[in-house]
Amino acid sequence: EFNRIHIQHTELPPNRHYNDNMADTTPRSCEGWFRVAASLSPTESKEIEGKSYTQKDCYVNALECDHKNTNVWINLGVCLTQNETATVNGEELTKKGCYARAVTFGEKSVPGWINLGNSLGAGELIKVGDIEVAKKNCFAKACELDPRNPKPWNNLGVELKSNETIQVGSETKGKKDCYVRAVECNPELFNAWCNLGMEMRPDGAVKVNDENITKKDCFIKALERNGTFFTAWNNLGVLLEGEITAKVNGKPYTKKQCFAKALEGNANSAIGWNNLGAELEDDETVAVGDREYTAIDCYAKAAEVDDEYSAAWSNLGAALSETVNSAKVGDKQFDKRACYIKALECDDQNDHAWNNLGNSVSPEEKVVVSGQDFTQVDCYVKALEVDDTSALTWDNLSIAMNDKDVVSVNGEEFTKEQCIEKGKDADDE
């Protein structure tokens, strides 16, 4: 599956432009306080008339002189941390509250709308004037005001669902449309190229500035602009099959090489390590940075990065053999069975782990998963209750059953012979 990590939106820097008539530098006027604040970093302070003022203090004082100054509201919002507040004229305001004030007094402020959108949580609404707006409404407004600005287009695309549309001025735009507009406005915006690629079908194409662009092209363009971008390398690897290669800056990369490059950009991705492990043969190694890794190494790294990652634990168990019968994850050793148990403790709907756990148990044994005993037959039944189309699991179940046994799978009873037939039917399909 694609690793749909959406790019975090960065706030615009403080707006440090001044009107020509801002000649008064007395720190008791809005313009004066604004100038002092703009000369400071968020951690600096300045002494004025025997008193020390931080950047935040200066913006607050500026607003107490002129509470309708959009630029000052934006800058105050930028200098606040996510959970910090500022008190202006007796009213306590958060970061997003400052941005809401900015667009209330300056409805055409593009930075105000972008920053307000970035400050809101998923599904969160905030009142601007007489209406309530969500993240997507803020970005749509910024796109309407400045249709050549790529950032709000990219951010709007991130907020829309795959089949959702939104009105931007007189046009109706979908998720993919937004990413296309973002890269048309700025072809160097690597995260928008990656987002566009993730939104396209494998065999799809879109027109970008009159050029036909495929899904693969999008990831390549993202990487040609940022060669350490994990998400683009990972998704390019997912897209490639077998020994088919993709050229990035003129150099060909295979599927496994893409996954390795992804991990060079982000070695703390459990998904990345799991994907790389899945591409390696038992005795094969691949270089990531200055070290060689086997499939077992990769799955162990994935489980170490995220010990709740069920697929990595299941894959690690399957990769172990008589030659290498255990793997170290963290400071513990795990054999096949321990890996499958751990996988099921993370996700009891992992049918592969149930099937493989059944394979590791003898007919007379019981194994404990999350405090409950399971026989070999129980394990195969649990696997089939998740996915009853697996011919392999039906075959395993029939072999584990005695001739007179009857088992119940999702409320339906089956004899040994019926399990054999179910396996044949599933194999034919």
Side-chain angles (χ1 to χ4, degrees), residues 319-391:
L320 294 173
S321 63
E322 291 183 2
T323 307
V324 183
N325 57 20
S326 70
K328 190 174 183 179
V329 179
D331 57 356
K332 294 183 181 179
Q333 289 288 135
F334 291 83
D335 62 12
K336 265 185 178 291
R337 186 182 296 183
C339 290
Y340 297 138
I341 290 172
K342 183 71 176 173
L344 292 166
E345 287 173 344
C346 297
D347 178 11
D348 65 1
Q349 297 300 296
N350 187 330
D351 55 304
H352 295 288
W354 279 118
N355 179 75
N356 290 348
L357 180 59
N359 292 344
S360 76
V361 179
S362 67
E364 299 79 21
E365 274 187 294
K366 288 184 178 180
V367 64
V368 178
V369 179
S370 299
Q372 186 175 348
D373 288 342
F374 292 91
T375 64
Q376 185 181 57
V377 168
D378 293 333
C379 291
Y380 295 136
V381 168
K382 289 289 286 184
L384 290 166
E385 286 178 340
V386 177
D387 178 11
D388 64 0
T389 66
S390 171

Side-chain angles (χ1 to χ4, degrees), residues 202-266:
D203 59 347
V206 293
K207 284 265 189 188
V208 177
N209 290 328
D210 297 324
E211 181 184 357
N212 273 329
I213 299 293
T214 66
K215 187 181 186 79
K216 184 167 76 170
D217 292 334
C218 291
F219 298 133
I220 290 171
K221 284 182 178 292
L223 291 167
E224 286 175 343
R225 288 150 176 82
N226 182 352
T228 63
F229 191 14
F230 168 84
T231 308
W233 278 117
N234 189 64
N235 286 348
L236 182 58
V238 169
L239 197 59
L240 297 176
E241 294 296 337
E243 293 304 312
I244 295 174
T245 62
K247 283 189 176 183
V248 178
N249 290 322
K251 183 178 177 180
Y253 291 88
T254 63
K255 189 180 188 78
K256 70 185 72 170
Q257 287 171 332
C258 288
F259 290 142
K261 287 292 288 183
L263 289 164
E264 287 176 8
N266 179 13

